[in-house]
């Protein structure tokens, strides 16, 4: 690979998802767990799609403290915890940085779903005097990004890309663009969502995207859909020279990004995957890489029949037959706006450790999909260049090339 313009390096990672709280827990689950059916969710009892994937043993007050709890919707809580972990692992101290050179880019598909549901209930049952004046500061889609900027004193660009299930990937691509342009030296970037409410789950169920038995089977012959998850992943990206000057040890490099639109349908992907393939090609071009150099792709892999087929076509068109892929949505659920950021975080960890996790939930490979799906057990291999991609409603596609630092 010959970098056209060296992209930013990844110096910190933070994660919270149904696979665990923190990077170590998420990575351990990815390497050791296989997925059975998701547990029935009391909030969804009686719905045809009664399953969800929630963050295990999560206690909001203990996690973020009472002073933040009244200001933070659940999706902002997750973003804060992931960002705090990413900053800790990066070795950066907000007290020491040039605040105007630090960006916060946090994507979300939904925003404060839990707050909206609770405040609507209070309005309906008790009237206007019971609606919180903090309704909008908790639920607007930009508020997770704004809260992170306030918490960490980051006074550079503060943005909230909304690209449905590609939002987290779009946030990382935006952050890389800002660093390449010279607008900032550091970016805290990723995605978050917590939309497990009866209304949002019902909406997804009515679209036919949810697995009725609570089993997500990415790229499997018997796949029937996904299960809704929640969580966040945040990465610390830095200009290479900035990271080296302070003695940081990068985990990976965000070498190239590609974003496209299918211009096809409000929800269904282009069945031949033309837009997704174009995003991969653009990311490779920006990274100065060619298809044969890509060792592995962390796929969107929702387990829905049409999306998996379209994604497989896109991968074949851009990279060729039999490419090595995995998807971990059977462990994390589909975390919507956090999905692309979680995929990027897992890809960084794969590069750092030289291990590709197996695709949990995959039992019977679909012979119509021209992919080498890692299954059964993790695969150890050197990963100099890897890809991850996310596909969102509205036909939004994002591909990221991550490389060894």
């Amino acid at each position: 690979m010959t970098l056209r313009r060296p992209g930013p390096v990844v110096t910190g990672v933070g994660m919270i998802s149904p696979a665990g709280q923190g990077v170590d827990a998420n990575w351990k689950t990815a390497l050791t767990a296989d997925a059975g059916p998701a547990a029935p969710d009391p909030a969804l009892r009686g719905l045809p799609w009664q399953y969800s994937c929630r963050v295990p043993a999560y206690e909001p007050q203990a996690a973020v403290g009472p002073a933040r709890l009244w200001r933070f919707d659940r999706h902002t809580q997750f973003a804060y915890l992931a960002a705090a972990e990413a900053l800790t692992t990066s070795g950066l101290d907000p007290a020491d940085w040039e605040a105007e050179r630090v960006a916060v880019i946090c994507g979300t598909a939904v925003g404060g779903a839990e707050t909206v549901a609770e405040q609507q209930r209070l309005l309906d049952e008790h009237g206007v005097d019971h609606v919180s004046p903090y309704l909008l500061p908790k639920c607007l889609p930009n508020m997770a990004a704004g809260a992170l900027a306030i918490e960490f004193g980051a006074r550079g660009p503060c943005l909230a890309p909304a690209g449905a299930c590609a939002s987290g990937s779009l946030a990382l691509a935006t952050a890389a663009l800002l660093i390449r342009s010279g607008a900032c030296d550091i970016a805290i970037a990723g995605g978050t969502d917590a939309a497990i409410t009866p209304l949002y789950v019902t909406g997804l169920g009515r679209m036919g995207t949810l697995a009725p038995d609570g089993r997500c089977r990415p790229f499997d012959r018997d796949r029937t859909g996904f299960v809704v998850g929640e969580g966040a992943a945040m990465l610390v990206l830095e200009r290479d020279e900035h990271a080296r000057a302070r003695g940081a040890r990068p985990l990976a490099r965000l070498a190239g990004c590609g974003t496209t639109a299918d211009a096809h349908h409000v929800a269904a992907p282009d069945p031949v995957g033309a837009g997704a393939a174009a995003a991969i090609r653009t990311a490779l071009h920006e990274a100065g890489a060619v298809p044969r150099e890509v060792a592995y792709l962390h796929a969107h892999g929702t387990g829905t029949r049409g999306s998996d087929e379209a994604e497989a076509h896109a991968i074949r068109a851009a990279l060729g037959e039999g490419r090595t892929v995995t998807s971990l949505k059977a462990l994390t659920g589909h975390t919507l706006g956090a999905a692309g950021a979680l995929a990027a975080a897992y890809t960084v960890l794969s590069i750092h450790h030289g291990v590709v996790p197996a695709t949990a939930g995959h039992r019977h490979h679909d012979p119509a999909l021209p992919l080498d799906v890692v299954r059964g057990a993790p695969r150890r291999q050197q990963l100099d260049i890897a890809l991850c991609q996310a596909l969102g409603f509205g036909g939004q596609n994002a591909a990221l090339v991550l490389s060894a630092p």
Side-chain angles (χ1 to χ4, degrees), residues 326-354:
T326 197
S327 167
L328 295 178
K329 283 187 173 59
L331 299 178
T332 65
H334 192 343
T335 54
L336 308 178
L342 279 168
Y346 279 122
T347 306
V348 167
L349 295 173
S350 287
I351 290 170
H352 183 64
H353 294 290

PDB file of all heavy atoms in Angstrom, residues 326-354:
ATOM      1  N   THR A 326     -16.474 -11.222   8.325  1.00  0.00           N
ATOM      2  CA  THR A 326     -17.180 -11.612   9.543  1.00  0.00           C
ATOM      3  C   THR A 326     -18.177 -10.522   9.896  1.00  0.00           C
ATOM      4  O   THR A 326     -18.092  -9.400   9.403  1.00  0.00           O
ATOM      5  CB  THR A 326     -16.201 -11.853  10.716  1.00  0.00           C
ATOM      6  OG1 THR A 326     -16.844 -12.594  11.735  1.00  0.00           O
ATOM      7  CG2 THR A 326     -15.700 -10.535  11.295  1.00  0.00           C
ATOM      8  N   SER A 327     -19.147 -10.867  10.727  1.00  0.00           N
ATOM      9  CA  SER A 327     -20.087  -9.899  11.293  1.00  0.00           C
ATOM     10  C   SER A 327     -20.393 -10.339  12.712  1.00  0.00           C
ATOM     11  O   SER A 327     -20.537 -11.536  12.972  1.00  0.00           O
ATOM     12  CB  SER A 327     -21.384  -9.844  10.477  1.00  0.00           C
ATOM     13  OG  SER A 327     -22.385  -9.133  11.190  1.00  0.00           O
ATOM     14  N   LEU A 328     -20.485  -9.382  13.634  1.00  0.00           N
ATOM     15  CA  LEU A 328     -20.713  -9.716  15.037  1.00  0.00           C
ATOM     16  C   LEU A 328     -22.078  -9.255  15.535  1.00  0.00           C
ATOM     17  O   LEU A 328     -22.302  -9.147  16.736  1.00  0.00           O
ATOM     18  CB  LEU A 328     -19.600  -9.101  15.898  1.00  0.00           C
ATOM     19  CG  LEU A 328     -18.205  -9.668  15.631  1.00  0.00           C
ATOM     20  CD1 LEU A 328     -17.169  -8.972  16.501  1.00  0.00           C
ATOM     21  CD2 LEU A 328     -18.163 -11.172  15.879  1.00  0.00           C
ATOM     22  N   LYS A 329     -23.013  -9.021  14.623  1.00  0.00           N
ATOM     23  CA  LYS A 329     -24.326  -8.536  15.047  1.00  0.00           C
ATOM     24  C   LYS A 329     -25.131  -9.576  15.812  1.00  0.00           C
ATOM     25  O   LYS A 329     -26.099  -9.227  16.510  1.00  0.00           O
ATOM     26  CB  LYS A 329     -25.110  -8.008  13.848  1.00  0.00           C
ATOM     27  CG  LYS A 329     -24.633  -6.626  13.406  1.00  0.00           C
ATOM     28  CD  LYS A 329     -25.505  -6.035  12.336  1.00  0.00           C
ATOM     29  CE  LYS A 329     -25.111  -4.589  12.032  1.00  0.00           C
ATOM     30  NZ  LYS A 329     -23.726  -4.438  11.587  1.00  0.00           N
ATOM     31  N   ALA A 330     -24.775 -10.844  15.709  1.00  0.00           N
ATOM     32  CA  ALA A 330     -25.450 -11.841  16.533  1.00  0.00           C
ATOM     33  C   ALA A 330     -25.062 -11.690  18.005  1.00  0.00           C
ATOM     34  O   ALA A 330     -25.779 -12.174  18.886  1.00  0.00           O
ATOM     35  CB  ALA A 330     -25.126 -13.249  16.055  1.00  0.00           C
ATOM     36  N   LEU A 331     -23.944 -11.033  18.284  1.00  0.00           N
ATOM     37  CA  LEU A 331     -23.509 -10.801  19.660  1.00  0.00           C
ATOM     38  C   LEU A 331     -23.923  -9.429  20.175  1.00  0.00           C
ATOM     39  O   LEU A 331     -24.290  -9.286  21.337  1.00  0.00           O
ATOM     40  CB  LEU A 331     -21.984 -10.927  19.764  1.00  0.00           C
ATOM     41  CG  LEU A 331     -21.383 -12.286  19.393  1.00  0.00           C
ATOM     42  CD1 LEU A 331     -19.871 -12.229  19.511  1.00  0.00           C
ATOM     43  CD2 LEU A 331     -21.947 -13.389  20.273  1.00  0.00           C
ATOM     44  N   THR A 332     -23.852  -8.423  19.326  1.00  0.00           N
ATOM     45  CA  THR A 332     -24.145  -7.054  19.761  1.00  0.00           C
ATOM     46  C   THR A 332     -25.571  -6.627  19.469  1.00  0.00           C
ATOM     47  O   THR A 332     -26.022  -5.604  19.988  1.00  0.00           O
ATOM     48  CB  THR A 332     -23.211  -6.054  19.061  1.00  0.00           C
ATOM     49  OG1 THR A 332     -23.478  -6.057  17.644  1.00  0.00           O
ATOM     50  CG2 THR A 332     -21.750  -6.402  19.300  1.00  0.00           C
ATOM     51  N   GLY A 333     -26.294  -7.395  18.653  1.00  0.00           N
ATOM     52  CA  GLY A 333     -27.520  -6.883  18.084  1.00  0.00           C
ATOM     53  C   GLY A 333     -27.171  -5.830  17.051  1.00  0.00           C
ATOM     54  O   GLY A 333     -26.008  -5.450  16.875  1.00  0.00           O
ATOM     55  N   HIS A 334     -28.186  -5.352  16.356  1.00  0.00           N
ATOM     56  CA  HIS A 334     -27.953  -4.258  15.420  1.00  0.00           C
ATOM     57  C   HIS A 334     -28.095  -2.963  16.210  1.00  0.00           C
ATOM     58  O   HIS A 334     -29.195  -2.568  16.608  1.00  0.00           O
ATOM     59  CB  HIS A 334     -28.956  -4.305  14.276  1.00  0.00           C
ATOM     60  CG  HIS A 334     -28.606  -3.390  13.135  1.00  0.00           C
ATOM     61  ND1 HIS A 334     -27.704  -2.357  13.257  1.00  0.00           N
ATOM     62  CD2 HIS A 334     -29.029  -3.355  11.836  1.00  0.00           C
ATOM     63  CE1 HIS A 334     -27.585  -1.725  12.110  1.00  0.00           C
ATOM     64  NE2 HIS A 334     -28.377  -2.313  11.231  1.00  0.00           N
ATOM     65  N   THR A 335     -26.978  -2.288  16.415  1.00  0.00           N
ATOM     66  CA  THR A 335     -26.949  -1.102  17.267  1.00  0.00           C
ATOM     67  C   THR A 335     -27.223   0.176  16.489  1.00  0.00           C
ATOM     68  O   THR A 335     -26.953   1.281  16.977  1.00  0.00           O
ATOM     69  CB  THR A 335     -25.598  -1.000  17.981  1.00  0.00           C
ATOM     70  OG1 THR A 335     -24.546  -1.045  17.008  1.00  0.00           O
ATOM     71  CG2 THR A 335     -25.410  -2.140  18.969  1.00  0.00           C
ATOM     72  N   LEU A 336     -27.735   0.052  15.272  1.00  0.00           N
ATOM     73  CA  LEU A 336     -28.199   1.196  14.467  1.00  0.00           C
ATOM     74  C   LEU A 336     -27.070   2.209  14.274  1.00  0.00           C
ATOM     75  O   LEU A 336     -26.069   1.887  13.648  1.00  0.00           O
ATOM     76  CB  LEU A 336     -29.446   1.803  15.102  1.00  0.00           C
ATOM     77  CG  LEU A 336     -30.584   0.802  15.400  1.00  0.00           C
ATOM     78  CD1 LEU A 336     -31.756   1.499  16.072  1.00  0.00           C
ATOM     79  CD2 LEU A 336     -31.036   0.076  14.153  1.00  0.00           C
ATOM     80  N   GLY A 337     -27.181   3.418  14.815  1.00  0.00           N
ATOM     81  CA  GLY A 337     -26.170   4.430  14.566  1.00  0.00           C
ATOM     82  C   GLY A 337     -24.806   4.119  15.133  1.00  0.00           C
ATOM     83  O   GLY A 337     -23.805   4.733  14.740  1.00  0.00           O
ATOM     84  N   ALA A 338     -24.713   3.176  16.056  1.00  0.00           N
ATOM     85  CA  ALA A 338     -23.417   2.768  16.608  1.00  0.00           C
ATOM     86  C   ALA A 338     -22.765   1.648  15.812  1.00  0.00           C
ATOM     87  O   ALA A 338     -21.577   1.356  16.016  1.00  0.00           O
ATOM     88  CB  ALA A 338     -23.582   2.315  18.054  1.00  0.00           C
ATOM     89  N   ALA A 339     -23.503   1.014  14.899  1.00  0.00           N
ATOM     90  CA  ALA A 339     -23.032  -0.222  14.263  1.00  0.00           C
ATOM     91  C   ALA A 339     -21.720  -0.033  13.499  1.00  0.00           C
ATOM     92  O   ALA A 339     -20.799  -0.839  13.613  1.00  0.00           O
ATOM     93  CB  ALA A 339     -24.103  -0.775  13.337  1.00  0.00           C
ATOM     94  N   GLY A 340     -21.624   1.027  12.697  1.00  0.00           N
ATOM     95  CA  GLY A 340     -20.413   1.232  11.920  1.00  0.00           C
ATOM     96  C   GLY A 340     -19.216   1.529  12.786  1.00  0.00           C
ATOM     97  O   GLY A 340     -18.084   1.111  12.486  1.00  0.00           O
ATOM     98  N   ALA A 341     -19.431   2.265  13.882  1.00  0.00           N
ATOM     99  CA  ALA A 341     -18.327   2.566  14.796  1.00  0.00           C
ATOM    100  C   ALA A 341     -17.881   1.321  15.547  1.00  0.00           C
ATOM    101  O   ALA A 341     -16.682   1.106  15.773  1.00  0.00           O
ATOM    102  CB  ALA A 341     -18.739   3.662  15.770  1.00  0.00           C
ATOM    103  N   LEU A 342     -18.843   0.480  15.966  1.00  0.00           N
ATOM    104  CA  LEU A 342     -18.466  -0.784  16.600  1.00  0.00           C
ATOM    105  C   LEU A 342     -17.673  -1.665  15.639  1.00  0.00           C
ATOM    106  O   LEU A 342     -16.676  -2.282  16.024  1.00  0.00           O
ATOM    107  CB  LEU A 342     -19.708  -1.523  17.090  1.00  0.00           C
ATOM    108  CG  LEU A 342     -20.291  -1.060  18.424  1.00  0.00           C
ATOM    109  CD1 LEU A 342     -21.671  -1.665  18.637  1.00  0.00           C
ATOM    110  CD2 LEU A 342     -19.372  -1.442  19.580  1.00  0.00           C
ATOM    111  N   ALA A 343     -18.104  -1.720  14.370  1.00  0.00           N
ATOM    112  CA  ALA A 343     -17.364  -2.504  13.375  1.00  0.00           C
ATOM    113  C   ALA A 343     -15.942  -1.979  13.226  1.00  0.00           C
ATOM    114  O   ALA A 343     -14.982  -2.757  13.128  1.00  0.00           O
ATOM    115  CB  ALA A 343     -18.093  -2.466  12.036  1.00  0.00           C
ATOM    116  N   ALA A 344     -15.783  -0.658  13.211  1.00  0.00           N
ATOM    117  CA  ALA A 344     -14.447  -0.072  13.097  1.00  0.00           C
ATOM    118  C   ALA A 344     -13.603  -0.406  14.320  1.00  0.00           C
ATOM    119  O   ALA A 344     -12.411  -0.729  14.206  1.00  0.00           O
ATOM    120  CB  ALA A 344     -14.556   1.436  12.916  1.00  0.00           C
ATOM    121  N   ALA A 345     -14.206  -0.334  15.507  1.00  0.00           N
ATOM    122  CA  ALA A 345     -13.466  -0.652  16.725  1.00  0.00           C
ATOM    123  C   ALA A 345     -13.011  -2.110  16.723  1.00  0.00           C
ATOM    124  O   ALA A 345     -11.858  -2.420  17.060  1.00  0.00           O
ATOM    125  CB  ALA A 345     -14.336  -0.361  17.949  1.00  0.00           C
ATOM    126  N   TYR A 346     -13.914  -3.018  16.343  1.00  0.00           N
ATOM    127  CA  TYR A 346     -13.522  -4.427  16.263  1.00  0.00           C
ATOM    128  C   TYR A 346     -12.431  -4.641  15.215  1.00  0.00           C
ATOM    129  O   TYR A 346     -11.528  -5.473  15.398  1.00  0.00           O
ATOM    130  CB  TYR A 346     -14.737  -5.290  15.937  1.00  0.00           C
ATOM    131  CG  TYR A 346     -15.622  -5.615  17.117  1.00  0.00           C
ATOM    132  CD1 TYR A 346     -16.969  -5.266  17.116  1.00  0.00           C
ATOM    133  CD2 TYR A 346     -15.121  -6.279  18.225  1.00  0.00           C
ATOM    134  CE1 TYR A 346     -17.795  -5.575  18.198  1.00  0.00           C
ATOM    135  CE2 TYR A 346     -15.934  -6.590  19.299  1.00  0.00           C
ATOM    136  CZ  TYR A 346     -17.265  -6.231  19.287  1.00  0.00           C
ATOM    137  OH  TYR A 346     -18.075  -6.531  20.366  1.00  0.00           O
ATOM    138  N   THR A 347     -12.492  -3.903  14.119  1.00  0.00           N
ATOM    139  CA  THR A 347     -11.465  -4.047  13.084  1.00  0.00           C
ATOM    140  C   THR A 347     -10.114  -3.557  13.577  1.00  0.00           C
ATOM    141  O   THR A 347      -9.078  -4.171  13.306  1.00  0.00           O
ATOM    142  CB  THR A 347     -11.889  -3.291  11.809  1.00  0.00           C
ATOM    143  OG1 THR A 347     -13.189  -3.732  11.401  1.00  0.00           O
ATOM    144  CG2 THR A 347     -10.912  -3.529  10.676  1.00  0.00           C
ATOM    145  N   VAL A 348     -10.100  -2.450  14.310  1.00  0.00           N
ATOM    146  CA  VAL A 348      -8.856  -1.968  14.924  1.00  0.00           C
ATOM    147  C   VAL A 348      -8.268  -3.043  15.835  1.00  0.00           C
ATOM    148  O   VAL A 348      -7.055  -3.321  15.805  1.00  0.00           O
ATOM    149  CB  VAL A 348      -9.102  -0.668  15.708  1.00  0.00           C
ATOM    150  CG1 VAL A 348      -7.909  -0.321  16.597  1.00  0.00           C
ATOM    151  CG2 VAL A 348      -9.397   0.482  14.754  1.00  0.00           C
ATOM    152  N   LEU A 349      -9.121  -3.664  16.646  1.00  0.00           N
ATOM    153  CA  LEU A 349      -8.643  -4.706  17.555  1.00  0.00           C
ATOM    154  C   LEU A 349      -8.140  -5.923  16.789  1.00  0.00           C
ATOM    155  O   LEU A 349      -7.141  -6.552  17.180  1.00  0.00           O
ATOM    156  CB  LEU A 349      -9.761  -5.106  18.516  1.00  0.00           C
ATOM    157  CG  LEU A 349     -10.217  -4.008  19.481  1.00  0.00           C
ATOM    158  CD1 LEU A 349     -11.455  -4.462  20.267  1.00  0.00           C
ATOM    159  CD2 LEU A 349      -9.101  -3.611  20.429  1.00  0.00           C
ATOM    160  N   SER A 350      -8.797  -6.268  15.685  1.00  0.00           N
ATOM    161  CA  SER A 350      -8.324  -7.391  14.867  1.00  0.00           C
ATOM    162  C   SER A 350      -6.943  -7.111  14.306  1.00  0.00           C
ATOM    163  O   SER A 350      -6.064  -7.988  14.309  1.00  0.00           O
ATOM    164  CB  SER A 350      -9.315  -7.649  13.720  1.00  0.00           C
ATOM    165  OG  SER A 350     -10.498  -8.244  14.193  1.00  0.00           O
ATOM    166  N   ILE A 351      -6.729  -5.893  13.818  1.00  0.00           N
ATOM    167  CA  ILE A 351      -5.410  -5.528  13.292  1.00  0.00           C
ATOM    168  C   ILE A 351      -4.367  -5.571  14.408  1.00  0.00           C
ATOM    169  O   ILE A 351      -3.254  -6.109  14.232  1.00  0.00           O
ATOM    170  CB  ILE A 351      -5.472  -4.129  12.650  1.00  0.00           C
ATOM    171  CG1 ILE A 351      -6.293  -4.179  11.359  1.00  0.00           C
ATOM    172  CG2 ILE A 351      -4.071  -3.584  12.371  1.00  0.00           C
ATOM    173  CD1 ILE A 351      -6.613  -2.816  10.777  1.00  0.00           C
ATOM    174  N   HIS A 352      -4.710  -5.021  15.552  1.00  0.00           N
ATOM    175  CA  HIS A 352      -3.770  -4.933  16.663  1.00  0.00           C
ATOM    176  C   HIS A 352      -3.371  -6.313  17.190  1.00  0.00           C
ATOM    177  O   HIS A 352      -2.203  -6.549  17.500  1.00  0.00           O
ATOM    178  CB  HIS A 352      -4.385  -4.097  17.782  1.00  0.00           C
ATOM    179  CG  HIS A 352      -3.492  -3.882  18.958  1.00  0.00           C
ATOM    180  ND1 HIS A 352      -2.308  -3.175  18.882  1.00  0.00           N
ATOM    181  CD2 HIS A 352      -3.610  -4.294  20.251  1.00  0.00           C
ATOM    182  CE1 HIS A 352      -1.730  -3.147  20.067  1.00  0.00           C
ATOM    183  NE2 HIS A 352      -2.498  -3.816  20.914  1.00  0.00           N
ATOM    184  N   HIS A 353      -4.355  -7.224  17.260  1.00  0.00           N
ATOM    185  CA  HIS A 353      -4.096  -8.545  17.835  1.00  0.00           C
ATOM    186  C   HIS A 353      -3.803  -9.612  16.789  1.00  0.00           C
ATOM    187  O   HIS A 353      -3.381 -10.722  17.140  1.00  0.00           O
ATOM    188  CB  HIS A 353      -5.289  -8.991  18.682  1.00  0.00           C
ATOM    189  CG  HIS A 353      -5.519  -8.159  19.900  1.00  0.00           C
ATOM    190  ND1 HIS A 353      -4.682  -8.174  20.991  1.00  0.00           N
ATOM    191  CD2 HIS A 353      -6.500  -7.268  20.197  1.00  0.00           C
ATOM    192  CE1 HIS A 353      -5.132  -7.344  21.925  1.00  0.00           C
ATOM    193  NE2 HIS A 353      -6.237  -6.777  21.459  1.00  0.00           N
ATOM    194  N   GLY A 354      -4.058  -9.314  15.514  1.00  0.00           N
ATOM    195  CA  GLY A 354      -3.851 -10.314  14.471  1.00  0.00           C
ATOM    196  C   GLY A 354      -4.838 -11.462  14.526  1.00  0.00           C
ATOM    197  O   GLY A 354      -4.477 -12.614  14.266  1.00  0.00           O
TER     198      GLY A 354
END
